[in-house]
Amino acid sequence: MSEHTDAAVTYGSYLKIEELLLLQQPRSTGPEHDEMLFIIIHQVYELWFKELLHELDRVKALLEQDQSHRAQHTLKRVLTVLKVMVAQLDILETMTPLEFLSFRERLEAASGFQSDQFRQIEFLLGVKSEQAIQRFPNGGRARAALERRYQESTLWDGFLQYLSREGYDLPQAQLMRDPRVAVVASPDVQQILVRVYQNDPKNAELCERLVDLDEGVQEWRYRHVKMVERTIGARRGTGGSTGATYLRETVGRPIFPDLWDIRSQL
Ligand code: HEM
């Protein structure tokens, strides 16, 4: 029998706790007390973004395999994570404007604008933008990940193809859509979705979960912009945008416009 020389797995070795605890490095002198919270909350969000990508890729793959029940199960998990992500903004709102200003200048041009995982989630859902890729330096991990996601079909495409295999006569133009183009409203798709809602409870339920997902992302955007307004008011963002003015434009912009447009036709 060969002898085991490897150290036994422990909580710390499995979860890489030593490495994890070295990753919070404030830049302010002192350092300012609240910078720790600011760093940790962003790191936690990036981990949730990673988990969302992991699960949303799964949802898309399950739809491709016509496993809609399991896709819905996974979507339920995504929605639960999203709720936690929205609730977490409460923690950051305990930081007053002055507490934030005490270290804000040390962020220089760093901003959530540069979160490639957030853009990856948008791309995967169908919110594509070639311009968003340009913000990430050539040759890096983030740029490569975004370029790949830009070319790939979206969750919405996966859903339409699934519906087509379920017997719905979706137009070829929709099924062969260029995945690099952002998803926009389509009256043809809406006609079919109305039929799904009226006659097909199983797939209507799936549509409702996608609406939940869309609403969950909008809720995050809304809470984020409110937090921005109460923390920096009308100041410009560190990423160079007009700040709350820019962010307000993104709130209420649906990810799956057809699923919202049909509401008045049901
Ligand atoms: C005091 C807290 C925060 C402030 C003042 C703030 C401010 C801003 C501002 C002004 C923007 C617009 C881009 C720019 O010009 O910089 C932005 C974008 C963004 N922020 Fe925050 N933010 C805060 C916390 C967070 C947290 C905790 C996250 C979680 C990851 C986050 C994620 C993002 C993302 C993903 C964007 C891009 C949104 C888009 O382009 O649609 N922010 N933030």
Side-chain angles (χ1 to χ4, degrees):
M1 241 166 56
S2 69
E3 226 174 287
H4 271 292
T5 47
D6 291 351
V9 176
T10 64
Y11 179 84
S13 69
Y14 179 61
L15 297 172
K16 307 261 184 272
I17 301 295
E18 293 309 318
E19 293 90 328
L20 186 64
L21 297 180
L22 286 173
L23 299 177
Q24 296 70 42
Q25 296 169 10
R27 301 194 79 234
S28 60
T29 39
E32 290 295 339
H33 180 82
D34 285 42
E35 194 177 354
M36 183 61 86
L37 170 66
F38 190 78
I39 292 172
I40 289 179
I41 206 135
H42 279 86
Q43 290 182 342
V44 168
Y45 271 111
E46 286 295 330
L47 288 175
W48 282 133
F49 290 159
K50 184 169 183 174
E51 171 65 8
L52 283 190
L53 285 166
H54 187 61
E55 300 294 350
L56 287 168
D57 277 333
R58 169 80 151 204
V59 174
K60 191 173 148 227
L62 287 169
L63 285 177
E64 278 160 10
Q65 297 156 22
D66 296 324
Q67 300 203 45
S68 70
H69 188 76
R70 291 183 66 201
Q72 277 202 51
H73 171 73
T74 308
L75 267 174
K76 173 97 193 333
R77 179 179 295 167
V78 168
L79 298 171
T80 313
V81 171
L82 258 175
K83 290 232 173 294
V84 169
M85 286 172 60
V86 171
Q88 274 178 196
L89 287 169
D90 287 347
I91 309 173
L92 206 48
E93 281 187 345
T94 64
M95 184 176 70
T96 65
L98 288 178
E99 283 165 344
F100 182 48
L101 288 175
S102 70
F103 62 88
R104 188 183 190 222
E105 66 181 27
R106 302 305 305 265
L107 304 179
E108 298 174 14
S111 157
F113 242 178
Q114 297 160 335
S115 168
D116 71 281
Q117 292 203 106
F118 182 81
R119 295 288 167 230
Q120 284 193 56
I121 293 172
E122 286 192 324
F123 282 15
L124 174 54
L125 295 178
V127 185
K128 296 270 175 102
S129 153
E130 194 173 9
Q131 201 195 342
I133 306 178
Q134 313 305 330
R135 279 195 213 108
F136 296 85
N138 253 321
R141 174 205 58 80
R143 178 73 175 240
L146 274 171
E147 278 172 357
R148 176 174 64 79
R149 295 240 180 236
Y150 182 65
Q151 302 290 339
E152 276 178 7
S153 66
T154 72
L155 180 62
W156 184 247
D157 298 315
F159 171 66
L160 293 184
Q161 277 151 16
Y162 159 79
L163 279 185
S164 148
R165 290 191 304 276
E166 286 282 285
Y168 292 95
D169 50 348
L170 281 136
Q172 279 304 309
Q174 284 296 328
L175 297 174
M176 308 295 288
R177 223 182 57 83
D178 180 350
R180 294 169 302 179
V181 175
V183 171
V184 290
S186 150
D188 292 340
V189 172
Q190 287 172 27
Q191 269 186 7
I192 286 164
L193 290 173
V194 169
R195 276 176 30 221
V196 170
Y197 268 83
Q198 286 170 344
N199 308 309
D200 182 353
K202 179 187 80 172
N203 287 320
E205 194 69 25
L206 182 57
C207 290
E208 284 297 280
R209 294 296 76 76
L210 292 175
V211 176
D212 287 342
L213 169 60
D214 195 332
E215 195 173 346
V217 174
Q218 290 184 43
E219 205 180 334
W220 186 86
R221 288 191 198 276
Y222 171 78
R223 286 293 316 274
H224 172 261
V225 70
K226 284 293 147 194
M227 180 188 66
V228 170
E229 282 171 356
R230 70 186 276 175
T231 311
I232 61 167
R235 286 185 169 87
R236 292 186 74 84
T238 45
S241 83
T242 52
T245 308
Y246 157 73
L247 292 168
R248 271 194 298 269
E249 285 164 19
T250 68
V251 179
R253 197 182 290 161
I255 295 171
F256 310 123
D258 290 327
L259 285 173
W260 295 90
D261 285 356
I262 56 165
R263 307 277 136 181
S264 42
Q265 303 167 44
L266 293 175

